[in-house]
Each structure stands twice: as C-alpha cells, then as structure tokens.
Amino acid sequence: MENEKKLIFSGIQPTGTFTLGNYIGAVRNWAPLQEEYNCIYSIVDLHAITVTQDPATLRKHSMEAYALLLACGIDPKRSIAFFQSHNPSHAELSWVLSCATQFGELSRMTQFKDKSAKHADNINAGLFTYPVLMAADILAYNADLVPIGADQKQHLELARNIAQRFNQRYGDFFTVPDGYIPKLGARVMSLQNPTKKMSKSDENPNACILILDDKDTIVRKFKRAVTDSEACVRYAEGKDGINNLITIYSSMTGKTVEEIEREFDGKGYGDFKLAVGEAVADALEPIRTEYAKLMGDKAYLKECYTEGAERARRITQRTLSKVYRKVGFVDAR
Ligand code: ATP
Ligand code: LTN
C-alpha cells in the first residue's frame, strides 16, 4: 500500500445478502474511494455472532459476502479485503479498549437497545460490547475515514471517544477517525414500514431489496411498497414511503428531487414505482453477473482473502505491540 494516502476502513456483517440499504448507504461508495485512498474492507464475522447464527449458514453467508464485496468493485490487490476472524488483533485490541470504555457509554447505544429488544432471549455480553470491537477494527489500522450509513454514526462517535481517552491517558497514539456518511441515501427505509431502516435481518422479504434479487422480484417488491393516499410524487414531510422511493431513485439515476417531481408530474404511483424498480434492477444487474462468476471460482476467492488477512495482520501486529508497551505489559521479545 502506498504510504502518503489516507486510510479508509469499513466493515459489513455476513448476516445475509446485502440489501439495497447496505449498498446505497455504504458499499457502493467503497469502490470509488479506492482511487484516492488506501482502503481496508472487512467481512466482520465476529460481530455477526452477537446474534444467534447457525454455523453452516454463517459460513455460507460469509463466503457470499466476500464475493459480493469483490462484485461491488473492491479490488483485492489494490485494497485489503479479508475476514475479521482471520486477524486476531481485532479481538485482542478490543479487550484493551474495553478497559477504556464505560458501562454507561455502552448502555446508551441505540443499536444495543434495539437489538436487545429484538433478541430478548439472547442479550449476551458480545452484543453489549459490540461497539468496542468496532472501535478496535478501526483503530488497529489507524484509519482516517470510515464510510458508513447513518445508523453507525453513534458507534463511530464512541470509537472517537475511546481513541481520545486512550491518547490522553497514554500519550498521542491513535488516529481519531472521521465518518464518511453519504448526503443522499445514508438511511434507506424499509419498503413495508418506511419509518424503520431497511435491514438484512427483516423477517418480511418484501421489506427489503437484496442486491442479488432478479429484475422481476425487484419490480414486484417496489410495486408493493407502502406509500400514502395522496397519489402525487413529491418529497414532503409525512410522506415517508414516497420520500424513500424518491431518495432511492435519485441515488440510482443521479437525478435531483426537483427533476424527479417534474418527471412524474401528473403520473400516478404505479408509474413511479415501476421506474424506481427498473432503475434499481438495471443498476444491480452487473453485480449479479460478476457475483455469479466469482462464486464459480472459490480457489480465487480463497487466494484473495488469505492474502488480504496476511496484509491486515502485518499492519495490526505493529499497532498491538505498541499498545501493549504503552499500557505497561512486559515485552514478549
Ligand atoms: P443487520 O440487519 O444484520 O443488523 P444491517 O443490514 O444493518 O445488518 P450491517 O452489516 O450492520 O447491515 O451494515 C453494513 C453497512 O451498511 C453499515 O455501514 C451500515 O451503516 C449500512 N447500512 C445498513 N442498513 C442501511 C440502510 N438501511 N440505509 C443505509 N445504510 C445502511
Ligand atoms: N457495526 C457495523 C459493521 C462494522 C464496521 C466496523 C463498520 C463493524 N466494524 C468498522 C465500519 C468500521 C455495522 O454496520 N453494523
């Protein structure tokens, strides 16, 4: 990796096929960033087990997520693309950082509150300390920028606080990372309940578009999207469903809200939903094709993630030994 460029880190959980929300809010921005930055992208499997996972399914989803990452344009030679569990430094650093994180801070995390309400039978310690592991992911590489959707803003803020606290206590060391949140599409909403974010783990299959859905499925899901009774395509408060569709259409076509309102002036929601569905399906088509090709070459995928993990470990081992020295552990060598 070239040294003078700034460093990007981001991660995505292998909890299922990426949704249109993951794509617009995060992953779509990752490939173009490779032009300007050194990029490190991880399939964060350690994070995924904070909710109950069937082992065979997790393994399958993990391979698929890795192939999807490459299909979305991540170049495994230019960037580092790897599985989080292949680099033990993340978990090791997480322990040290957890001793610089307050119980009260973690208790305020809205994702923890949401997920513990949703998985009331399994409110495990990992779910609680999840944001510390995320801070470790970022700080282990001294990343400058973290491209994420709006729902991760609070976690990033915590990572910044942990870095600053560590720096105050032990002397300047960690880079305090900035978020990189898109202006448009940072929070794509569920098609069935547009006040809730679109999520991989939604039980209702009509609520989210998966980036591997075929054109018919995508068009059908948009056709069924919940809207309102006004039958007028305009962006306005209280029109959550239509606002969401306008945002999606805008981020797929590059058209502004005004242009979209003009385009559909006098037309009904049926025409608009069809146009959104087709724009999304056409934009995702090349990803589906590339994904199928990559999944047919497991040996290539293995070569990529093995090399990615080696490069990742080389960076973080240095960070970790410096951290251990700073906190006062006896040198191992
Ligand atoms: P899960 O449902 O399993 O919690 P998720 O769909 O929320 O998963 P993550 O793997 O947690 O997905 O998130 C990966 C990235 O996608 C993050 O940067 C996150 O902010 C972004 N993201 C997730 N959902 C959306 C959404 N609806 N709109 C925009 N960005 C999103
Ligand atoms: N918590 C994130 C995934 C994630 C992440 C990271 C994102 C784990 N580690 C480091 C950016 C940087 C989520 O999307 N739920």
Side-chain angles (χ1 to χ4, degrees):
M1 285 196 145
E2 297 158 51
N3 282 329
E4 61 299 345
K5 289 185 182 172
K6 285 198 169 186
L7 201 124
I8 294 252
F9 183 96
S10 199
I12 185 158
Q13 300 185 76
T15 40
T17 306
F18 302 172
T19 67
L20 187 62
N22 298 136
Y23 183 65
I24 295 177
V27 182
R28 184 172 73 151
N29 308 313
W30 294 0
L33 289 167
Q34 296 175 119
E35 301 297 329
E36 243 186 279
Y37 301 95
N38 286 326
C39 296
I40 305 176
Y41 297 121
S42 184
I43 302 299
V44 290
D45 44 9
L46 299 178
H47 278 103
I49 61 164
T50 54
V51 303
T52 310
Q53 300 286 343
D54 166 62
T57 311
L58 178 63
R59 195 167 291 118
K60 179 170 171 282
H61 281 159
S62 298
M63 284 301 288
E64 290 171 356
Y66 191 84
L68 269 179
L69 206 60
L70 303 200
C72 289
I74 308 308
D75 174 354
K77 298 283 175 243
R78 191 154 47 141
S79 302
I80 296 179
F82 72 107
F83 290 108
Q84 187 188 32
S85 63
H86 291 185
N87 183 0
S89 301
H90 293 236
E92 290 169 333
L93 181 60
S94 181
W95 176 257
V96 177
L97 298 183
S98 72
C99 299
T101 309
Q102 299 301 303
F103 179 84
E105 287 181 297
L106 291 174
S107 310
R108 285 194 290 276
M109 295 292 120
T110 54
Q111 183 178 294
F112 172 69
K113 291 188 223 168
D114 291 349
K115 291 213 169 175
S116 35
K118 200 166 156 199
H119 305 277
D121 58 335
N122 183 17
I123 307 177
N124 61 78
L127 191 66
F128 188 64
T129 58
Y130 175 117
V132 183
L133 179 59
M134 176 163 161
D137 296 341
I138 300 165
L139 303 183
Y141 300 88
N142 277 307
D144 299 283
L145 273 183
V146 184
I148 41 174
D151 64 308
Q152 294 302 310
K153 211 173 151 191
Q154 195 185 28
H155 287 166
L156 184 75
E157 200 49 49
L158 179 68
R160 288 170 56 86
N161 291 340
I162 295 174
Q164 281 159 341
R165 195 168 305 137
F166 187 96
N167 288 350
Q168 262 161 22
R169 188 140 164 217
Y170 299 107
D172 242 5
F173 179 68
F174 286 124
T175 304
V176 180
D178 284 314
Y180 180 99
I181 298 174
K183 286 201 182 68
L184 188 78
R187 195 172 164 80
V188 175
M189 309 310 275
S190 154
L191 298 186
Q192 290 299 314
N193 178 359
T195 57
K196 220 179 78 186
K197 82 159 189 153
M198 186 182 281
S199 165
K200 281 194 223 94
S201 40
D202 204 309
E203 290 95 41
N204 183 346
N206 287 322
C208 63
I209 303 290
L210 303 180
I211 68 171
L212 295 176
D213 281 344
D214 60 31
K215 188 165 186 168
D216 286 351
T217 309
I218 294 176
V219 168
R220 181 171 33 83
K221 286 182 180 175
F222 275 110
K223 212 183 272 175
R224 292 189 184 161
V226 169
T227 48
D228 53 69
S229 54
E230 195 195 29
C232 171
V233 179
R234 62 182 186 100
Y235 197 100
E237 214 180 304
K239 287 172 71 73
D240 298 322
I242 284 296
N243 294 350
N244 190 36
L245 297 187
I246 292 179
T247 304
I248 292 171
Y249 191 59
S250 171
S251 69
M252 284 298 161
T253 59
K255 293 176 187 169
T256 64
V257 173
E258 295 73 38
E259 283 167 344
I260 296 168
E261 288 174 345
R262 230 174 297 131
E263 184 180 346
F264 292 95
D265 188 23
K267 295 191 181 145
Y269 286 168
D271 289 342
F272 179 51
K273 286 177 172 180
L274 182 65
V276 180
E278 287 185 335
V280 169
D282 292 345
L284 297 179
E285 179 63 37
I287 299 176
R288 278 210 298 149
T289 311
E290 185 60 21
Y291 172 79
K293 206 170 94 197
L294 286 160
M295 283 303 274
D297 193 351
K298 296 275 164 40
Y300 172 71
L301 292 177
K302 185 166 186 189
E303 186 190 307
C304 293
Y305 64 70
T306 307
E307 195 204 314
E310 261 164 40
R311 291 165 66 203
R313 286 194 298 265
R314 237 176 282 137
I315 300 173
T316 57
Q317 270 159 4
R318 294 188 55 210
T319 311
L320 202 67
S321 50
K322 285 184 194 159
V323 166
Y324 276 12
R325 199 165 313 135
K326 277 196 172 283
V327 301
F329 297 158
V330 172
D331 274 349
R333 278 174 274 120

